Amino acid sequence: MPSLVIPHRRRREYDSDGESDRISSATTTPSVNKRARLQVNGEDSLSQSPLFPDGYLSQPNGSLQHGHAEEVSMEHQPGSIVRVKLRNFVTYTSVEFFPGPNLNMVIGPNGTGKSTLVCAICLGLGWGTQHLGRAKEVSDFVKHGCEDATIEIELAGKKAKRNPVFQCNIKREGSKCTFAINGKPATKKEVQKLAMSFAIQIDNLCQFLPQDKVVEFAGMTPVELLRSTMRAVASQEMIDAHDKLKKWRAQQQTVQDTNANQVETLNSLEGRQRMQEADVQRMREREQIKEQVRMLETLRPFARYRAVRKLYEQARTRRKEAETELKSLKEAIEPSLRAVNAKQAYRDLIERVVHERRANIERAERKADGYTKRVNELSTLMEDCRKEVDAERKGNKTNKADSTRLEGIIARLRKQMEEEPVQFDVADTNEKIRAKQRAQQELISQASELQHNMAELREKGLEFNNRIERARQELANLDSQAGQQNHKLTGTSRDSAKAWEWVQKNQDKFEQRVFGPPIVECSVKDVRYVDMIESSFNSNDFICFTVQTRGDFKKLQRQLHHEMGLSQITIRTMTGGLQNFPPPISEEECKRYGFDGFALDFMSGPEPVLAMLCSEGPRLNQTAVALKDTSDEQYRLLEDSVMQSWITRKSIYRINRRREYGAGAVSTQVRDVKKALVWTDQPVNMSAKQALQDDIQGWHEEVKTIQDVIGKKKEQVAQLKTEKAEIAAAEQELVRDKEAKQRALASFKLLPIKLAQQEEKLVDVQRNMEGVRERILAVNANYDKHALERGQVALGYAGAVVDLKESHLQLREVEVMFIEANSDFEVLGERNREVKEQLEAKQREQVDLENAAKAAQNDAKAAITECSKIMETADPALSEFLRDKSAEGNTLSEEELETEIESEKARLELMHEGNGDVIREYEKRQNQIDRMKASLEEYKHALEEFDAKINEVRKDWEPKLDELVESISSSFGHNMAQIRCAGEVSIYKDEEDFDKWCIQIKVKFRDHEPLTQLDSHRQSGGERAVSTIFYLMSLQALTRSPFRVVDEINQGMDPRNERLVHARMVSIATGNDDNPQTRQTARAAQPNGEASDNEQDTATTNGDVARVRTPGSQYFLITPKLLHNLKYEPGMRVLCIASGEYMPENQSSIDFQACVDIRRGIAASA
């Protein structure tokens, strides 16, 4: 078997299994005295001679050529890898691989560079570092101490064509790659295009599974697994068909969602329309109810009149009854009260005399007053006579004018009655008015949209103004040191800058002080160390916040992540101080190793922040710094020390110690020191300042543009307002014309009534004009009569004064007699008090009834007066209503009337007044409903078209996919059965979404278990590894890829599974699979089902003719360890990678076949 050789190196500086994110190495002169020499059976030591004798180097290429000639009958398929040559790539100085066309077992201890071959294939064929899961920069793959690296990959060409050779040159400076194809420069896209023309898919984990992507493959979702499987084994037409189905289904779903939203909106609009119809009807009903309430309220005086009249009649009846009862009572008690009555009669007689005498006085006084009053009255009457004469004379003139005016009015009314008003179409006029209203509403909508646009523009302008203000503040901040650091923080992480601004304003909300990012809180004491110290930081270290309690951590996390929605935020908790972080070595040891101190010694800042940087991130207390480079002697000392990292002026060193591989398993990472960007005492960043000024200028121009646009839109709004005003004026003109015509028609109908009224007034005026002279003479006669009477009344006044004096004297005499009679009556009345009270109560009752009857009579008179006024001013409709309600049997009592009024008002309150634009909104909504119905019809046609396209593609694509998955399942089940397990592969079909179709792998590893879906929860790591490799092997017969790479997939398997899996892999990869389904599928994959070009008759060593069957593609299995006595088949090639201090400088000078012979000799002699 041929083997590969790598050149000598002093120490391994890139560990393929390490945890570092960077790959770098440094090569030094080898030391020949480090390792103990090999001894065979405890006999003579070989320490005085090289590991490989000179005879083994005499023909370094013979065995390689011989090994290659043994497989000359095995041809590489187009696109498979024929040769890989590396120079200065990761751990290799120079190496050349010759993989076989079938299964290639790449073996070697950890760290020797097995996975480097995988990295070279990926980068050399034009794919990026993201497919490797290791270093992000391509420059990290250049060997330490070198400026560039070269990858050369030769692929097997297609029939009758030369093998294409890909060259990739990687420059450390700038981390750039250049490519060439067959020596001619090419772009990365051209390299990828040519590689993909051979169906190479480095980005497909089903074909290319690097070591650091194994976990990613295991974590692939079933949907992603289906996509990767199709890319690996299906035709491009099937992949394109799947993409079409997913796209069309997504578009169909979008249309369905839109259609559902439209239907919902349409239903809502139609519901609102139905509700609007009820509103319109209610508005009409409301007006009718309001009119009904008005008329009913007019009936109140009539109902009140009927009620008080009824009360009056009742009071009068009760008064008569009371009089009768009083009379009966008097007759019943007359005997017992006769003496009292006699006394009372006497007293009453005296009282009457007193009253008479008082009445005489009052009459005398009234008579005197009457004479005085009469004199005044007669004087007033005389004055009235004079005024009446004047009024008659003036009234005669007014009557004559009124008569003339009324005759003219009557003539005009009669003429108007002869001229009928112009007839007009009310419906047509209303439609014209509504058309004008709709036009106005349309203009209002346009104006509203323009105003909405202006509002958005104003908001946008305000945002630009805010940006300008913030930019001006940033310009001011650039001139201060703190401002520069805040500006750098903003440039590094805008989220962190926003968070720091909030923390500064809200320190009082925390239990202890919260410290900002080191970029603003810390600084470097000595600028000579700033590059080294910054290089030890990663991006999160610069922007992390430091809190001192867990409560503050939760509070700050909730505020920044949940409430403010910030994402690029790092929060760390530090509860201790720097005393908890001592340096790993003493100051004397530090000086002995050539260090100036530790990074912590050159940093200043708050103690909690520095302690946090010692606990996490750069670990300042453990990272030594030195301005001088590390010498070889110092390096050897550091390898044996506890130091793990240090920084010199140009390089950062980190030692990785793998204890599980022994004390000598030591590797060192080396990367370059980067130029400091954060803690630099630099002048104001003029480019940043200029950028801010340019932004301000640009935003000013944007604001000016927005103002111009707003000005134009204002003009459009003004134009729309003008048009609306014109339409409104036209509408008002139509309304006025309609109202004028309606008034004219109403006036014409009222002309007969007006004519009768005017004729009646004319008759009254003419009647008043008759007998004016006679009335004046009669008034003068009355004047003379009043003057004579006034003289007579004056004489009577003198006699009345004399009578008044005599009456006063007579009253005094009678009052004395009344006092005596009243005293006798009260004594006797006390004896008969109860009878008297009963009589008095009945008398009071009679008086109250008389008063009630009078009050009811007065109320009835007031009500009838009010009713008369209403009848006089009532319009025809009200008059008809009153007549109807006054008809016999249709009258309402006050209570019934109030009940009906309240009922109608309650109905009125339940019916809201509504909006005057209800009808206009109703019509606009109806138009919208019509448009939406048309749109829904279009959506329906679109959905039908999608169904047709999907069904057309699916009927061809789905059977092919089912057949493909069935083939994979058959092969997968056969492979699992060979290790006494079971498995199947199926496809899950989601009828609603093709994007959810996925591969389902079901396995079982124990007889008593059912088949369960493969995932990270049910199966162990080894079981998942077995299932994964068998699934990949199941694709072998169907694959379209010329080669497949699997790196350390056997890690985690138990020995039994590893041995069984290896046997199956060898059988399948070398074409000796006993599964008929696999052979049938492999033959079906060839055109017309014929045997492939590599399937031919060959002679065996014993002369028999055997059939050599070649698998579908080349296979690379990379592993650091293998079990003993594994299965081996012709067609396999084992690539042994050796690495160590005794490798020769020229890789072609080693004969691995001789090495194998030596090993066999040692084993035979043992």
Side-chain angles (χ1 to χ4, degrees):
M1 290 183 291
S3 58
L4 299 180
V5 180
I6 67 170
H8 169 80
R9 62 180 181 180
R10 186 178 70 108
R11 63 180 180 269
R12 176 170 55 86
E13 306 204 15
Y14 165 65
D15 186 356
S16 64
D17 297 325
E19 299 174 357
S20 173
D21 290 335
R22 291 187 173 272
I23 303 175
S24 181
S25 61
T27 303
T28 61
T29 304
S31 175
V32 297
N33 297 318
K34 280 192 175 181
R35 296 187 181 181
R37 301 305 182 186
L38 176 65
Q39 295 182 355
V40 181
N41 296 331
E43 298 178 357
D44 296 340
S45 173
L46 300 177
S47 60
Q48 303 301 319
S49 62
L51 178 63
F52 301 112
D54 294 339
Y56 296 154
L57 305 176
S58 59
Q59 294 180 347
N61 296 324
S63 62
L64 179 63
Q65 293 171 356
H66 174 70
H68 193 54
E70 288 179 352
E71 299 178 4
V72 68
S73 62
M74 295 292 186
E75 296 184 2
H76 286 78
Q77 288 189 355
S80 61
I81 299 176
V82 177
R83 179 176 57 88
V84 179
K85 185 175 182 180
L86 308 177
R87 183 183 64 82
N88 297 333
F89 188 76
V90 191
T91 60
Y92 296 112
T93 299
S94 179
V95 67
E96 191 168 15
F97 297 87
F98 293 89
N102 304 140
L103 177 61
N104 293 274
M105 304 287 292
V106 183
I107 61 175
N110 283 329
T112 55
K114 302 182 302 300
S115 297
T116 302
L117 173 61
V118 178
C119 299
I121 294 173
C122 175
L123 300 178
L125 294 179
W127 272 266
T129 59
Q130 69 272 17
H131 302 295
L132 297 173
R134 297 197 169 200
K136 295 181 180 179
E137 298 294 334
V138 71
S139 61
D140 294 330
F141 291 89
V142 179
K143 184 177 176 65
H144 179 70
C146 301
E147 296 301 322
D148 62 353
T150 302
I151 304 171
E152 184 175 299
I153 300 176
E154 179 181 352
L155 302 181
K158 298 179 181 179
K159 292 181 181 180
K161 291 187 178 180
R162 62 176 293 187
N163 290 350
V165 179
F166 297 79
Q167 292 93 19
C168 173
N169 185 262
I170 304 173
K171 297 289 185 182
R172 179 183 295 278
E173 183 177 0
S175 189
K176 296 181 180 178
C177 290
T178 57
F179 294 89
I181 300 176
N182 295 328
K184 296 181 180 180
T187 64
K188 186 175 183 179
K189 288 185 178 180
E190 291 172 343
V191 171
Q192 278 193 359
K193 183 177 180 181
L194 179 57
M196 288 189 291
S197 69
F198 289 100
I200 296 174
Q201 301 172 3
I202 298 297
D203 56 346
N204 188 348
L205 296 182
C206 288
Q207 176 186 349
F208 193 84
L209 189 60
Q211 175 185 347
D212 294 285
K213 291 286 185 175
V214 171
V215 175
E216 182 177 332
F217 181 87
M220 287 177 64
T221 65
V223 175
E224 294 170 341
L225 184 59
L226 173 61
R227 178 68 178 175
S228 298
T229 301
M230 290 183 63
R231 290 184 60 203
V233 301
S235 64
Q236 188 61 39
E237 289 77 9
M238 286 188 66
I239 298 174
D240 294 340
H242 190 199
D243 292 337
K244 287 180 181 179
L245 290 172
K246 291 191 290 185
K247 182 182 72 173
W248 289 342
R249 181 69 80 192
Q251 293 174 349
Q252 185 184 41
Q253 188 62 43
T254 301
V255 173
Q256 288 175 342
D257 293 342
T258 305
N259 184 51
N261 292 335
Q262 290 276 38
V263 169
E264 184 177 354
T265 303
L266 178 61
N267 293 335
S268 175
L269 290 175
E270 288 179 340
R272 292 175 60 189
Q273 197 73 339
R274 289 190 293 270
M275 293 173 60
Q276 201 80 28
E277 290 176 358
D279 290 341
V280 173
Q281 183 63 28
R282 280 196 297 271
M283 288 177 64
R284 296 194 180 100
E285 291 179 2
R286 195 173 194 280
E287 292 300 323
Q288 294 175 357
I289 294 172
K290 286 174 66 177
E291 181 64 18
Q292 181 72 8
V293 169
R294 185 185 70 84
M295 291 184 176
L296 289 172
E297 288 177 342
T298 308
L299 287 176
R300 280 175 173 158
F302 296 90
R304 188 163 56 252
Y305 168 72
R306 287 191 295 271
V308 296
R309 187 179 64 177
K310 184 176 181 181
L311 290 175
Y312 170 70
E313 292 175 351
Q314 292 174 351
R316 188 175 60 179
T317 302
R318 292 186 60 194
R319 185 190 63 184
K320 291 179 180 180
E321 292 174 352
E323 289 176 354
T324 304
E325 291 174 357
L326 178 62
K327 183 179 179 181
S328 300
L329 180 62
K330 286 180 177 180
E331 292 175 353
I333 64 176
E334 192 274 333
S336 61
L337 293 179
R338 186 176 293 119
V340 176
N341 290 338
K343 291 292 185 181
Q344 183 179 2
Y346 177 72
R347 191 203 65 173
D348 291 343
L349 177 61
I350 299 301
E351 186 179 10
R352 283 196 298 272
V353 173
V354 171
H355 288 310
E356 287 177 1
R357 298 290 171 85
R358 287 177 180 171
N360 291 337
I361 292 174
E362 291 176 357
R363 281 195 296 272
E365 289 176 349
R366 286 197 300 272
K367 185 176 181 181
D369 292 337
Y371 283 123
T372 303
K373 182 179 179 181
R374 186 58 181 168
V375 169
N376 294 331
E377 290 176 354
L378 290 172
S379 298
T380 301
L381 290 173
M382 293 170 66
E383 182 63 27
D384 291 341
C385 288
R386 286 195 296 269
K387 291 180 180 179
E388 189 175 352
V389 171
D390 294 337
E392 286 290 342
R393 292 172 179 169
K394 291 180 180 179
N396 190 42
K397 293 181 180 179
T398 303
N399 288 332
K400 289 181 179 180
D402 290 342
S403 176
T404 304
R405 178 177 59 80
L406 290 171
E407 288 175 353
I409 292 173
I410 292 170
R412 185 171 66 255
L413 291 174
R414 287 175 176 169
K415 185 177 181 181
Q416 289 176 357
M417 291 175 64
E418 296 174 357
E419 300 175 355
E420 293 187 4
V422 178
Q423 299 294 328
F424 72 102
D425 189 349
V426 178
D428 180 64
T429 303
N430 290 337
E431 181 58 32
K432 291 179 180 178
I433 293 173
R434 285 194 292 269
K436 297 294 183 183
Q437 292 172 344
R438 288 194 293 271
Q440 291 180 71
Q441 186 62 34
E442 182 66 26
L443 293 175
I444 291 172
S445 299
Q446 296 177 12
S448 176
E449 183 177 358
L450 289 172
Q451 289 171 348
H452 178 70
N453 293 338
M454 287 191 292
E456 291 180 347
L457 290 172
R458 290 190 186 97
E459 290 180 1
K460 191 174 181 182
L462 180 60
E463 176 61 23
F464 280 123
N465 287 331
N466 292 337
R467 292 182 185 177
I468 292 170
E469 185 62 29
R470 289 195 295 269
R472 287 174 177 168
Q473 185 64 35
E474 290 182 21
L475 282 175
N477 288 338
L478 284 177
D479 296 329
S480 66
Q481 182 65 30
Q484 289 185 29
Q485 292 305 111
N486 285 328
H487 179 71
K488 291 176 182 177
L489 176 61
T490 303
T492 304
S493 171
R494 290 189 178 273
D495 285 356
S496 297
K498 292 178 182 178
W500 177 230
E501 181 180 357
W502 183 90
V503 168
Q504 288 177 300
K505 296 177 181 178
N506 297 274
Q507 284 284 2
D508 57 333
K509 296 182 178 180
F510 298 98
E511 300 172 11
Q512 297 187 31
R513 180 184 172 187
V514 174
F515 296 94
I519 198 172
V520 295
E521 294 278 16
C522 300
S523 61
V524 179
K525 299 176 182 179
D526 192 336
V527 296
R528 295 178 299 169
Y529 298 91
V530 66
D531 292 344
M532 293 182 279
I533 291 176
E534 279 197 24
S535 297
S536 67
F537 281 66
N538 61 38
S539 58
N540 284 337
D541 295 334
F542 284 112
I543 62 174
C544 66
F545 290 81
T546 304
V547 298
Q548 302 183 66
T549 67
R550 292 298 300 172
D552 287 346
F553 176 88
K554 294 179 180 179
K555 185 180 296 183
L556 184 61
Q557 184 183 49
R558 181 170 57 254
Q559 174 66 32
L560 301 184
H561 289 291
H562 301 292
E563 296 185 14
M564 298 179 64
L566 304 179
S567 57
Q568 193 179 358
I569 297 296
T570 301
I571 306 173
R572 297 174 182 172
T573 304
M574 175 48 57
T575 57
L578 288 174
Q579 68 274 8
N580 298 325
F581 302 98
I585 59 176
S586 64
E587 185 176 353
E588 292 75 13
E589 289 179 299
C590 187
K591 299 299 182 183
R592 184 159 59 91
Y593 293 144
F595 297 142
D596 300 335
F598 287 90
L600 180 61
D601 301 331
F602 301 95
M603 287 287 293
S604 63
E607 182 176 350
V609 178
L610 295 177
M612 178 274 295
L613 295 175
C614 292
S615 174
E616 302 183 50
R619 302 188 184 276
L620 300 178
N621 64 315
Q622 299 180 14
T623 303
V625 294
L627 294 175
K628 297 180 180 179
D629 291 334
T630 302
S631 66
D632 290 344
E633 180 63 26
Q634 291 171 339
Y635 177 82
R636 283 193 293 272
L637 292 174
L638 288 168
E639 271 191 323
D640 298 329
S641 71
V642 297
M643 287 294 297
Q644 290 185 331
S645 62
W646 69 91
I647 309 174
T648 64
R649 184 181 296 275
K650 295 181 179 180
S651 301
I652 302 175
Y653 295 85
R654 181 172 181 83
I655 294 179
N656 295 317
R657 296 178 174 86
R658 301 292 293 272
R659 303 299 183 189
E660 65 270 24
Y661 296 119
V666 177
S667 64
T668 304
Q669 283 184 294
V670 183
R671 55 189 177 94
D672 295 336
V673 172
K674 298 181 180 179
K675 188 68 177 175
L677 298 175
V678 175
W679 292 304
T680 55
D681 190 12
Q682 298 177 348
V684 176
N685 189 344
M686 296 308 295
S687 62
K689 188 173 184 179
Q690 183 61 42
L692 287 173
Q693 292 172 345
D694 292 343
D695 288 340
I696 291 172
Q697 179 63 28
W699 290 334
H700 275 303
E701 292 175 358
E702 291 287 347
V703 171
K704 180 63 170 60
T705 302
I706 290 173
Q707 290 174 346
D708 294 341
V709 173
I710 290 175
K712 293 179 180 179
K713 291 187 179 294
K714 284 183 177 179
E715 294 176 359
Q716 295 176 2
V717 172
Q719 178 63 29
L720 291 175
K721 288 182 178 179
T722 303
E723 294 178 5
K724 179 179 177 298
E726 293 175 355
I727 295 174
E731 178 195 357
Q732 291 300 321
E733 182 62 30
L734 288 172
V735 172
R736 285 193 295 270
D737 181 63
K738 171 187 172 183
E739 291 176 349
K741 290 180 179 179
Q742 288 178 335
R743 285 195 300 270
L745 182 60
S747 298
F748 180 78
K749 293 179 179 179
L750 292 175
L751 285 177
I753 299 173
K754 290 182 179 179
L755 179 60
Q757 292 174 347
Q758 298 301 323
E759 288 177 344
E760 185 178 351
K761 290 180 181 179
L762 179 60
V763 171
D764 293 338
V765 169
Q766 290 175 349
R767 187 183 299 114
N768 291 332
M769 291 173 61
E770 297 176 355
V772 174
R773 180 179 178 81
E774 289 77 4
R775 286 197 297 273
I776 292 175
L777 292 175
V779 171
N780 288 333
N782 287 334
Y783 179 81
D784 294 339
K785 177 181 177 182
H786 295 327
L788 180 60
E789 185 180 356
R790 187 175 63 175
Q792 294 174 350
V793 170
L795 295 174
Y797 177 72
V801 172
V802 175
D803 294 338
L804 179 61
K805 183 177 179 181
E806 183 63 26
S807 297
H808 274 291
L809 294 174
Q810 293 175 356
L811 176 61
R812 297 293 179 268
E813 181 181 0
V814 176
E815 285 179 345
V816 173
M817 296 173 66
F818 176 75
I819 292 172
E820 294 176 351
N822 189 55
S823 176
D824 295 338
F825 171 74
E826 289 178 355
V827 171
L828 187 59
E830 183 63 26
R831 298 173 184 169
N832 297 278
R833 182 173 58 80
E834 183 178 352
V835 177
K836 183 179 178 181
E837 288 177 355
Q838 185 178 3
L839 181 62
E840 288 175 352
K842 184 59 69 175
Q843 289 173 343
R844 285 194 300 272
E845 181 183 357
Q846 183 181 6
V847 173
D848 292 339
L849 290 173
E850 289 179 355
N851 294 333
K854 290 180 180 180
Q857 187 178 22
N858 293 333
D859 291 340
K861 290 179 179 180
I864 197 64
T865 302
E866 188 175 357
C867 292
S868 300
K869 292 180 180 179
I870 291 173
M871 292 298 295
E872 291 175 358
T873 59
D875 54 46
L878 180 58
S879 299
E880 180 65 26
F881 177 77
L882 294 175
R883 285 194 296 271
D884 180 64
K885 291 298 182 180
S886 298
E888 184 176 356
N890 200 23
T891 58
L892 298 173
S893 65
E894 278 190 300
E895 292 78 4
E896 293 172 340
L897 178 61
E898 291 300 327
T899 299
E900 188 168 351
I901 290 174
E902 291 301 324
S903 175
E904 295 297 325
K905 285 184 176 180
R907 289 179 59 197
L908 193 63
E909 289 177 357
L910 292 175
M911 300 172 64
H912 61 83
E913 188 172 357
N915 190 348
D917 296 333
V918 169
I919 297 177
R920 185 164 53 253
E921 292 177 0
Y922 179 86
E923 294 175 348
K924 180 180 178 181
R925 191 179 298 110
Q926 186 61 44
N927 293 333
Q928 186 179 359
I929 289 172
D930 295 339
R931 290 194 301 269
M932 290 186 70
K933 286 182 177 179
S935 177
L936 289 174
E937 192 65 28
E938 295 176 0
Y939 285 143
K940 180 180 178 181
H941 293 317
L943 291 174
E944 292 174 352
E945 292 178 1
F946 276 122
D947 284 335
K949 291 194 296 185
I950 289 172
N951 293 334
E952 181 67 24
V953 173
R954 182 176 179 178
K955 70 179 182 181
D956 294 331
W957 173 78
E958 186 174 3
K960 294 179 181 178
L961 180 62
D962 292 337
E963 182 180 359
L964 184 67
V965 174
E966 178 62 28
S967 299
I968 296 172
S969 179
S970 175
S971 179
F972 180 74
H974 179 75
N975 292 336
M976 294 292 290
Q978 299 307 304
I979 62 172
R980 297 182 181 88
C981 299
E984 68 176 21
V985 181
S986 61
I987 184 166
Y988 169 74
K989 301 178 181 181
D990 190 308
E991 294 300 327
E992 298 298 327
D993 191 354
F994 287 101
D995 203 20
K996 294 181 180 178
W997 284 40
C998 60
I999 289 288
Q1000 290 183 335
I1001 302 176
K1002 294 182 178 180
V1003 296
K1004 73 170 183 175
F1005 289 87
R1006 284 160 286 277
D1007 293 336
H1008 63 277
E1009 293 180 348
L1011 285 170
T1012 57
Q1013 190 163 345
L1014 180 67
D1015 58 29
S1016 59
H1017 305 291
R1018 294 186 178 92
Q1019 291 82 23
S1020 65
E1023 291 172 343
R1024 292 198 301 273
V1026 170
S1027 303
T1028 299
I1029 191 62
F1030 275 168
Y1031 183 80
L1032 295 178
M1033 290 162 53
S1034 300
L1035 305 180
Q1036 182 75 8
L1038 299 171
T1039 183
R1040 299 166 50 249
S1041 304
F1043 65 86
R1044 180 174 289 108
V1045 176
V1046 179
D1047 192 353
E1048 297 194 14
I1049 191 65
N1050 59 333
Q1051 299 302 301
M1053 295 185 190
D1054 58 71
R1056 173 183 174 276
N1057 283 339
E1058 183 176 354
R1059 191 175 298 279
L1060 293 173
V1061 168
H1062 181 270
R1064 288 299 302 155
M1065 184 183 300
V1066 170
S1067 298
I1068 294 173
T1070 58
N1072 294 317
D1073 186 16
D1074 56 354
N1075 183 11
Q1077 177 66 29
T1078 303
R1079 294 195 298 270
Q1080 180 181 356
T1081 303
R1083 183 172 289 105
Q1086 302 298 328
N1088 301 323
E1090 298 177 357
S1092 65
D1093 293 337
N1094 289 336
E1095 186 175 346
Q1096 53 186 314
D1097 291 333
T1098 58
T1100 64
T1101 55
N1102 59 4
D1104 296 331
V1105 177
R1107 190 70 169 172
V1108 178
R1109 297 182 297 277
T1110 303
S1113 65
Q1114 190 179 43
Y1115 218 103
F1116 290 86
L1117 176 62
I1118 299 171
T1119 178
K1121 56 96 177 178
L1122 287 174
L1123 301 174
H1124 295 293
N1125 300 320
L1126 292 176
K1127 180 180 180 180
Y1128 176 79
E1129 291 282 353
M1132 287 177 56
R1133 178 166 295 182
V1134 181
L1135 305 178
C1136 299
I1137 298 181
S1139 173
E1141 300 176 3
Y1142 301 104
M1143 302 305 296
E1145 296 293 337
N1146 184 1
Q1147 80 273 15
S1148 62
S1149 62
I1150 258 194
D1151 186 350
F1152 263 93
Q1153 184 62 48
C1155 295
V1156 172
D1157 293 340
I1158 289 291
R1159 178 67 181 88
R1160 288 175 176 172
I1162 293 173
S1165 62

